[in-house]
Amino acid sequence: MQRRNFMKILGVSTASLSYASFFGASILNAKENKLLGFESIDINTKDIVVVPKDYEVKPLISWGDPLFSSAKEFDESKIINEDSINNATLTFGDNTDGMSVFELSEDSYIMCVNNEYINPEHMFNHNDKNMTLDDVRYEQNSLGVSIFEIKKDKNGDFNIVKDSKYNRRITAHTPMEVSTLRGFDRIKTKDDKNGERILGTINNCANGKTPWGTYLACEENFDDFFGSSNKKLELNESEKRYGVGVDSVYKWELDSRFDISKNRNEPNRFGYVVEIDPYNPNSTPIKRCALGRFKHENAEVLINKDSHVVVYMGDDEANEFIYKFVSKNKFDSKNNKNNRNLLESGTLYVAKFTNGKNELEGTGEWIELSYGKNGLTKENGFFSYEDILIDTRLAASFVGATPMDRPEWIVADNNSRFVYATLTNNTKRTEAGAANPRVKNQYGHIIRWWHKDNNHNSTKFKWDIFLLAGNPMQYPNDLRKGTSNITKDNMFNSPDGLAFDKFGRLWIETDGKYSNEGDFLGMGNNQLLCANPNTGEVRRFLSGPIGCEITGIAFSKDYKTMFIGIQHPGENLLPSHYPNGGDSTPRSTIVQIRHKNGNVIGS
Ligand code: FEO
Ligand code: CA
Ligand code: CA
Ligand code: CA
């Protein structure tokens, strides 16, 4: 069976991989062809950030940099004590990921940044070999979200405004409100008997920005932080599906809150989208449970033409799903108090993809995940709406959602009807399926869908594949070569971050294999690419230092400064000393990029 499917892939006609026929070259006009105005860079395997000719790149902030003048600078001695544990709450967290900027003026912004996780191999002198409870406490203060003001100086560089009234760290201890699931039994713990106050947010991967001025931080691999001191603990179906087990990645079970043998419901309090008001540093973040519990990547928020809010979300694990939330109430530009609660109630849907007549296109359906509908009833093991919100994955499987090749970021193009999603890779795939055409998909692809009349509240859609990443030099004769817009000059693997700028360029960030060998020869370090969605052309804009992932993207209002996240340079003790060189510890860093003549980025 596997063999036959694979042969079927090899048999895909090359015509369907031709970009010109796919998009219809005749619809293109000269302006659309000029969207990309920079010279593509070569691959890079060095410990530096490379940008195109006439661009310059500078660090904005790195892990451990102070947000307050009372904080100490990053200390290479890495001594963990009460002072350093407290200091971590006053400095920029580790593993910069999704970010958004909120405008204060042309030249100053509140920047909200997810600090996804930690790299204990660099954080401690023992390189993760001897974790203590104090080390765990240091880590708990080193992830979450960092919020701070940035301001442009007379040279045009952005700098951190220390002690700004907006500056704030959100950690694994910050109290959060519980939306929708407040008071539900499976949310209650012995420290929160009423199920109304969750402490902290963890593994905040990508992000979202709402039209009502709030920031969304999305909790992804929360299971990595839970373990059990009782190694014989029997796991239930829900725990198994979410990867919550007796062995954690980070040894946080040293803190009994993260020990599931002592605190069984704590994992039910993570895996959500968290809404934060960046303008009020005293506000309490809210876990927006109505958006479902899974390993959230980002949350793409838009106002549909019927004024309902639509949020697209991916669940990043092999063979998990793509979701859509539609708010019960409508957005009202004159009533921001009402808007502030639009994510409290609504309907959650999951995507089912079906192949069409031609290769790499088809139709789809959004299946409602509501209690009592589509078989989500007591008889089938779903006891309430609240249970479906906690066990979203189980409900989605039950209704027949399409297993995907690890859904990462999703973005809607304001200049078209298309919604794009990265499917980063899935080497576990053994059968080609609708929207996921390759077995053992080591390169990843980008899919897009659209609804009739651009109505995002419709339950039917059409889809096609915008791009199959691949290696046309290693595999010129089958689908592993990628779509025809992938060439020896722009090869990459594992697309992850996505963003549209206001001019319609599609920016693509990678989190892939950086060996530059074998299947990945000719791809170099992780990179940022830019695509013209009208022609399919892709150019390489930036590549990062050794062992990093490129993630997180934001622009100044004039699109003349771009902010890009360089996450975990030197992970797994690879030889990086980015950004400071010498013998320094590699540190996750946000960089700022400008054109020497002040041109719009990418133009
Ligand atoms: Fe945190 Fe799926 O990336
Ligand atoms: Ca990601
Ligand atoms: Ca990724
Ligand atoms: Ca990552």
Side-chain angles (χ1 to χ4, degrees):
M1 186 64 186
Q2 289 175 23
R3 176 77 186 159
R4 207 181 72 212
N5 272 301
F6 190 59
M7 294 315 286
K8 189 172 161 240
I9 295 169
L10 296 180
V12 168
S13 68
T14 45
S16 68
L17 298 181
S18 154
Y19 235 81
S21 67
F22 185 35
F23 279 90
S26 59
I27 63 160
L28 302 175
N29 62 41
K31 183 169 163 270
E32 286 171 333
N33 276 321
K34 283 189 185 143
L35 204 52
L36 309 187
F38 62 93
E39 261 179 51
S40 194
I41 61 162
D42 291 336
I43 60 162
N44 160 40
T45 55
K46 297 196 198 108
D47 198 25
I48 52 173
V49 176
V50 176
V51 289
K53 188 162 106 29
D54 297 328
Y55 283 85
E56 53 187 26
V57 55
K58 291 177 184 172
L60 173 73
I61 191 167
S62 298
W63 163 47
D65 282 350
L67 304 179
F68 299 90
S69 50
S70 59
K72 293 197 192 79
E73 295 284 343
F74 182 82
D75 183 357
E76 288 283 354
S77 74
K78 302 179 185 173
I79 292 165
I80 305 301
N81 56 26
E82 289 304 316
D83 280 350
S84 56
I85 291 168
N86 181 52
N87 198 60
T89 67
L90 305 172
T91 55
F92 185 53
D94 197 2
N95 273 280
T96 181
D97 208 310
M99 59 177 148
S100 299
V101 292
F102 294 82
E103 194 184 333
L104 295 170
S105 72
E106 282 283 318
D107 293 336
S108 64
Y109 300 84
I110 305 169
M111 184 172 248
C112 296
V113 188
N114 292 346
N115 299 114
E116 188 181 24
Y117 57 105
I118 54 269
N119 286 100
E121 73 271 31
H122 289 296
M123 193 164 260
F124 306 111
N125 288 319
H126 58 66
N127 307 121
D128 195 23
K129 294 199 178 73
N130 185 26
M131 290 293 293
T132 66
L133 179 59
D134 275 354
D135 295 341
V136 167
R137 292 172 60 220
Y138 183 72
E139 291 187 337
Q140 289 172 340
N141 287 343
S142 301
L143 50 57
V145 180
S146 296
I147 301 173
F148 49 88
E149 185 179 342
I150 57 171
K151 197 172 174 41
K152 203 195 270 187
D153 65 23
K154 62 181 190 309
N155 300 320
D157 296 330
F158 280 93
N159 299 288
I160 310 308
V161 181
K162 276 188 201 172
D163 305 317
S164 160
K165 66 176 180 180
Y166 301 109
N167 292 6
R168 176 180 194 186
R169 273 302 316 285
I170 290 168
T171 71
H173 297 290
T174 305
M176 317 239 147
E177 280 179 35
V178 188
S179 162
T180 318
L181 287 178
R182 184 188 175 97
F184 186 58
D185 274 355
R186 293 177 66 193
I187 291 289
K188 293 176 185 168
T189 63
K190 69 175 187 304
D191 292 333
D192 179 26
K193 292 196 169 54
N194 297 326
E196 59 186 11
R197 211 78 169 163
I198 296 173
L199 293 185
T201 182
I202 54 178
N203 216 105
N204 301 95
C205 185
N207 61 311
K209 186 180 178 183
T210 69
W212 49 93
T214 59
Y215 180 71
L216 302 177
C218 307
E219 296 176 335
E220 193 187 23
N221 301 307
F222 62 93
D223 56 309
D224 290 350
F225 297 82
F226 289 93
S228 172
S229 53
N230 171 11
K231 296 294 174 196
K232 292 192 178 133
L233 194 73
E234 207 165 307
L235 302 170
N236 62 39
E237 192 191 354
S238 170
E239 288 165 334
K240 284 182 196 160
R241 179 62 183 271
Y242 283 86
V244 173
V246 295
D247 295 313
S248 70
V249 171
Y250 296 106
K251 313 287 185 296
W252 281 23
E253 63 271 32
L254 289 166
D255 171 355
S256 62
R257 180 154 74 97
F258 293 87
D259 181 342
I260 59 168
S261 69
K262 296 179 178 148
N263 198 9
R264 201 69 184 253
N265 279 348
E266 192 69 13
N268 293 340
R269 294 148 67 92
F270 295 88
Y272 299 106
V273 172
V274 179
E275 185 169 15
I276 300 167
D277 178 1
Y279 295 97
N280 178 2
N282 299 315
S283 60
T284 305
I286 306 170
K287 298 242 177 173
R288 288 301 185 188
C289 304
L291 277 62
R293 174 170 170 266
F294 44 91
K295 298 185 185 178
H296 281 276
E297 188 70 23
N298 78 330
E300 175 70 346
V301 185
L302 56 88
I303 308 296
N304 192 39
K305 58 187 198 177
D306 60 9
S307 296
H308 289 281
V309 173
V310 172
V311 187
Y312 290 108
M313 300 169 286
D315 181 354
D316 180 9
E317 190 149 23
N319 303 314
E320 290 296 341
F321 310 125
I322 287 174
Y323 295 88
K324 173 175 91 166
F325 169 87
V326 180
S327 67
K328 176 168 173 256
N329 296 320
K330 292 181 175 180
F331 177 79
D332 176 356
S333 60
K334 294 187 195 72
N335 186 353
N336 221 32
K337 190 158 173 276
N338 161 69
N339 296 337
R340 285 291 169 116
N341 224 15
L342 284 170
L343 301 182
E344 169 79 22
S345 37
T347 308
L348 197 58
Y349 299 86
V350 68
K352 179 177 181 170
F353 294 79
T354 306
N355 271 327
K357 281 203 274 303
N358 302 312
E359 302 286 351
L360 309 184
E361 60 86 24
T363 56
E365 186 189 346
W366 293 106
I367 308 176
E368 190 173 333
L369 298 177
S370 295
Y371 181 63
K373 289 202 177 160
N374 298 314
L376 299 173
T377 60
K378 282 193 188 65
E379 293 69 38
N380 293 320
F382 299 96
F383 293 94
S384 65
Y385 169 57
E386 289 79 5
D387 285 300
I388 291 169
L389 292 185
I390 291 180
D391 292 326
T392 309
R393 283 180 165 187
L394 300 178
S397 285
F398 184 83
V399 303
T402 300
M404 308 296 286
D405 288 351
R406 291 188 55 199
E408 299 244 35
W409 294 44
I410 303 176
V411 290
D413 181 3
N414 290 328
N415 296 311
S416 77
R417 64 194 192 280
F418 297 112
V419 181
Y420 292 71
T422 43
L423 296 162
T424 196
N425 58 54
N426 182 4
T427 51
K428 291 179 181 165
R429 178 170 291 281
T430 53
E431 281 187 35
N436 301 275
R438 294 184 292 194
V439 292
K440 203 179 171 300
N441 177 9
Q442 74 271 53
Y443 296 120
H445 56 288
I446 300 178
I447 191 174
R448 53 182 198 174
W449 60 83
W450 61 97
H451 302 87
K452 193 171 176 229
D453 302 325
N454 203 17
N455 176 16
H456 294 271
N457 200 354
S458 167
T459 56
K460 302 270 190 263
F461 61 89
K462 289 188 173 172
W463 62 269
D464 65 19
I465 286 181
F466 175 67
L467 165 162
L468 292 172
N471 192 327
M473 307 311 288
Q474 296 290 81
Y475 299 111
N477 299 317
D478 62 62
L479 268 191
R480 288 174 293 182
K481 72 180 178 184
T483 32
S484 62
N485 50 343
I486 302 302
T487 68
K488 72 175 183 6
D489 298 319
N490 67 10
M491 287 189 284
F492 63 93
N493 73 90
S494 307
D496 187 335
L498 282 181
F500 274 99
D501 64 29
K502 79 166 178 186
F503 308 97
R505 295 178 198 89
L506 177 59
W507 297 88
I508 305 165
E509 300 178 311
T510 74
D511 170 22
K513 293 281 196 303
Y514 39 67
S515 65
N516 203 36
E517 289 173 357
D519 284 1
F520 309 102
L521 184 67
M523 296 180 177
N525 293 350
N526 274 308
Q527 44 188 294
L528 168 69
L529 302 117
C530 188
N532 179 336
N534 308 305
T535 63
E537 183 186 2
V538 178
R539 291 187 196 175
R540 185 181 297 120
F541 184 84
L542 171 151
S543 65
I546 292 168
C548 83
E549 155 189 353
I550 307 297
T551 183
I553 178 167
F555 294 91
S556 60
K557 193 185 177 199
D558 58 11
Y559 286 85
K560 293 178 176 180
T561 301
M562 171 191 246
F563 302 100
I564 294 290
I566 308 295
Q567 192 189 51
H568 61 65
E571 69 172 350
N572 302 320
L573 299 177
L574 285 170
S576 172
H577 300 283
Y578 183 82
N580 296 322
D583 293 333
S584 65
T585 298
R587 289 156 66 189
S588 290
T589 296
I590 297 172
V591 295
Q592 51 185 320
I593 296 157
R594 277 190 293 152
H595 189 273
K596 283 173 183 159
N597 300 336
N599 298 351
V600 166
I601 303 293
S603 65

